[in-house]
Amino acid sequence: MGKTCFSILMVGAFVGILSSCAGVVSCSNDNKASAESFTVMNWNLETFFDATFDGNEYSEFKNGKSGWSREKYEARLDRLASVIKTLDADVLVFEELEKEAQLYDITNRLSGTFNFSKLYSHAFFATDEGASIGCGVLSRLPIGEISVHSLDVRTAGIDQPSMRPILQFSVFAGSSGEKKLVVFANHWKSKSGDSDGDTAAWRACQERVLCRCMRSVVEKSKVPVLACGDFNMDILEFSAYTGSIDAPSGERQPLGYATNILLRGADSQNGGALPVYSPWFDAQGNLLEPGSYWYNEAWERIDNFFAAGSVTISSFAARTDGAWATSAGKPVRYQVYNGAGYSDHLPIMCTVTF
């Protein structure tokens, strides 16, 4: 398996400290401080390659003969910047960026304001070495305590496919950064080319990794957690959660926060799983419309936010109020041949309070 690479970037006026680490954070959180809120957008940008041909691009972006060009890249950057300005989220999480330099390209498109509260001054990018695409983060709030969790399965007769790592980082809020939210960014194994359901096992592995990491933060560090990303699983493919689970002592585990989904761990009994909250359901348990991904003439809800601990999600929606969606609210996917479109996913957005 290739080495996981990540970079911490300073793309504007930088305040605070960023540090890289391995494993799960263990810093304390001042829960007595007043509640803080900010907005988060997650968006799979659909093969957002740059204009440099490195050889690891998908076939439709390999060279100039494919129709891909710097002009089309520049135009696509302009459209992305327009969406970011319209939705105006405080933290941006992107899937399917090619490289870290694109975060500079994006922020350059967003410059030109003297309102420093609107600047995305904090960023990082991560991918597996040799991978075609990775995940990027832009934030107006300080970020730090960054970890990258990669899956490494070495069993005789099993060849692990190329898979993206799960990114972990902390967002600091409050006048002196005294409030902390731990975020996990995900891009799980795609179902592309899946004829026999064989990719489901790899998504299950990624679910166990996420479950273990989130549990460690919530239970040991007592810090609120948000997971987001493209999970390549419809929300109905996750396990529903309607009650308590047994703690290792055999007693009922007091949760103290809203839940409706059970992330499955290595041992789903005795506290191995983690109850979390997904905003795809309304108060009556009905699925929200529209979904985030239109496939085979039906909505899928594969892009998600999961919350655990003392954090709430509000104002959640798959955003359709712009040129990136059709009049029917479906995503306007990107077309290489003519350079038109945005992505085959809709951006999802919410407000988190903790």
Side-chain angles (χ1 to χ4, degrees):
M1 179 179 175
K3 177 183 177 183
T4 296
C5 306
F6 70 96
S7 300
I8 303 171
L9 313 176
M10 291 173 287
V11 293
F14 176 75
V15 179
I17 298 173
L18 294 181
S19 61
S20 62
C21 61
V24 180
V25 301
S26 59
C27 301
S28 63
N29 192 49
D30 184 1
N31 291 318
K32 295 181 181 180
S34 60
E36 296 290 340
S37 296
F38 60 85
T39 52
V40 185
M41 181 182 78
N42 184 93
W43 199 7
N44 182 319
L45 298 177
E46 189 189 8
T47 57
F48 206 103
F49 289 96
D50 68 3
T52 301
F53 301 119
D54 300 305
N56 64 334
E57 294 86 0
Y58 294 168
S59 59
E60 61 267 39
F61 296 88
K62 281 287 188 183
N63 51 54
K65 294 181 180 179
S66 67
W68 184 237
S69 66
R70 173 160 294 281
E71 291 73 21
K72 289 180 180 178
Y73 174 60
E74 299 284 345
R76 199 173 185 192
L77 277 173
D78 289 337
R79 285 197 291 274
L80 174 58
S82 177
V83 177
I84 293 172
K85 291 177 181 178
T86 298
L87 298 183
D88 195 32
D90 297 308
V91 177
L92 311 172
V93 180
F94 299 124
E95 294 82 53
E96 298 203 13
L97 278 176
E98 183 184 8
K99 61 185 66 164
E100 66 180 49
Q102 291 176 288
L103 294 178
Y104 289 102
D105 292 340
I106 295 168
T107 54
N108 285 338
R109 290 299 195 285
L110 298 172
S111 61
T113 176
F114 291 102
N115 186 348
F116 291 106
S117 67
K118 295 292 187 180
L119 295 177
Y120 295 95
S121 302
H122 315 270
F124 77 96
F125 175 86
T127 188
D128 272 349
E129 186 176 19
S132 298
I133 51 178
C135 295
V137 175
L138 287 173
S139 177
R140 291 168 175 161
L141 300 171
I143 58 176
E145 299 176 333
I146 297 171
S147 303
V148 180
H149 305 278
S150 294
L151 187 68
D152 191 354
V153 177
R154 302 185 184 187
T155 303
I158 297 179
D159 293 324
Q160 179 178 323
S162 176
M163 299 170 70
R164 276 83 55 166
I166 296 173
L167 316 185
Q168 176 183 334
F169 61 98
S170 296
V171 178
F172 298 91
S175 58
S176 57
E178 72 276 6
K179 296 283 288 185
K180 180 172 73 174
L181 176 73
V182 175
V183 181
F184 291 89
N186 298 259
H187 189 190
W188 289 6
K189 180 61 180 173
S190 171
K191 294 180 181 178
S192 177
D194 186 354
S195 57
D196 300 314
D198 54 338
T199 62
W202 296 108
R203 286 187 296 279
C205 288
Q206 291 175 297
E207 183 175 355
R208 289 194 290 270
V209 171
L210 177 63
C211 177
R212 184 183 70 245
C213 293
M214 290 181 69
R215 276 176 54 84
S216 181
V217 177
V218 172
E219 296 180 1
K220 295 180 181 179
S221 303
K222 309 300 182 183
V223 175
V225 175
L226 180 75
C228 63
D230 174 5
F231 294 84
N232 275 304
M233 284 174 58
D234 187 84
I235 191 60
L236 295 179
E237 295 181 78
F238 287 89
S239 296
Y241 177 75
T242 57
S244 300
I245 58 175
D246 289 336
S249 63
E251 301 174 352
R252 287 297 179 183
Q253 182 181 21
L255 296 175
Y257 58 89
T259 58
N260 53 18
I261 294 294
L262 189 68
L263 289 182
R264 294 163 289 195
D267 178 9
S268 293
Q269 301 298 319
N270 299 320
L274 178 68
V276 297
Y277 172 74
S278 166
W280 274 118
F281 303 93
D282 65 17
Q284 290 72 44
N286 302 310
L287 285 170
L288 298 184
E289 296 286 347
S292 63
Y293 184 68
W294 181 256
Y295 182 70
N296 279 347
E297 299 303 311
W299 280 113
E300 293 190 358
R301 296 161 179 84
I302 60 178
D303 305 284
N304 215 326
F305 292 110
F306 292 123
S310 54
V311 56
T312 60
I313 294 176
S314 60
S315 304
F316 168 78
R319 300 295 295 265
T320 61
D321 46 342
W324 58 90
T326 67
S327 58
K330 299 173 184 177
V332 180
R333 69 173 306 162
Y334 187 72
Q335 305 287 345
V336 179
Y337 76 94
N338 63 4
Y342 292 79
S343 171
D344 54 355
H345 293 244
L346 293 174
I348 59 173
M349 189 168 166
C350 71
T351 298
V352 294
T353 303
F354 61 102

